[in-house]
Amino acid sequence: MSGQRDVVRELVRAHGRTFAEEAGITLRDTPQPLYRLLVLALLLSARIRGSIAVDTARELYDSGLRDPRRMAGAGRQRRVDALGRGGYRRYDERTATQLGDGAELLIERWGGDLRRLRKAADGDVGELRRLLREFPGLGPAGADIFLREVQRVWPEVAPFLDRKALDGAARLGLPTDPDRLVKLAGDTDPSVLAAGLVRAALDKNVTEDSLRRAA
């Protein structure tokens, strides 16, 4: 048990940065950061390098497309151009359409505020996941990415460790039961734990580094 705690501690210490933090999002329970997280989840869910998705999320923000009204009003070509500058070229045409349609859905159904979607789910994570999947391009993987990160500010979601996070736990020789993992992590924020585990699932160097540090 102590060895597993050491692995979790070193994983979190060296690789526990959330993807929202990497994308420059200071996550709060307010409309703009939540929307930026939704966009990041969509970008990360494609079969593209995570670093490109993160860079593209930053580029969209720097281009002024930082809330649903600006995103919807920007025009498709402007979105395509911003995606291209971020390096998101393989999926830029389709993603530009999804971003525009998703922004319009958020405005029309939820008044541009994801907190209203949260309220509608009324603490039911399954319902929250279902509502998130109504956004164009946000499938099961994208919804899980959003939930992994948003649990930092939506405590009713926590602890949320999805299949990708549990894959990382298995690679590290850790339990794949979420409750046991949370117990091993102690006071660590579940979003930070989840981020470290996902990085271990995606990059064998993270796994090897964490195990070496804990040895």
Side-chain angles (χ1 to χ4, degrees), residues 166-178:
L166 298 180
D167 286 347
R171 286 194 174 199
L172 290 160
L174 297 171
T176 55
D177 175 74

Side-chain angles (χ1 to χ4, degrees), residues 38-52:
L38 184 73
V39 170
L40 177 63
L42 170 63
L43 297 174
L44 283 168
S45 65
R47 293 184 177 179
I48 200 164
R49 287 205 311 274
S51 59
I52 293 177

Side-chain angles (χ1 to χ4, degrees), residues 10-87:
E10 295 304 326
L11 170 73
V12 167
R13 180 181 297 172
H15 307 288
R17 189 183 188 196
T18 68
F19 290 89
E21 289 170 337
E22 188 177 348
I25 302 170
T26 301
L27 196 57
R28 299 187 181 93
D29 188 25
T30 53
Q32 189 180 111
L34 292 172
Y35 176 66
R36 292 180 64 195
L37 177 60
L38 184 73
V39 170
L40 177 63
L42 170 63
L43 297 174
L44 283 168
S45 65
R47 293 184 177 179
I48 200 164
R49 287 205 311 274
S51 59
I52 293 177
V54 166
D55 289 346
T56 302
R58 285 181 174 272
E59 178 59 38
L60 288 167
Y61 179 82
D62 291 342
S63 299
L65 308 181
R66 57 192 64 177
D67 63 55
R69 286 177 175 79
R70 287 187 176 97
M71 185 69 78
R76 186 169 177 275
Q77 189 58 51
R78 184 177 169 194
R79 294 192 295 269
V80 169
D81 291 345
L83 289 165
R85 288 193 298 272

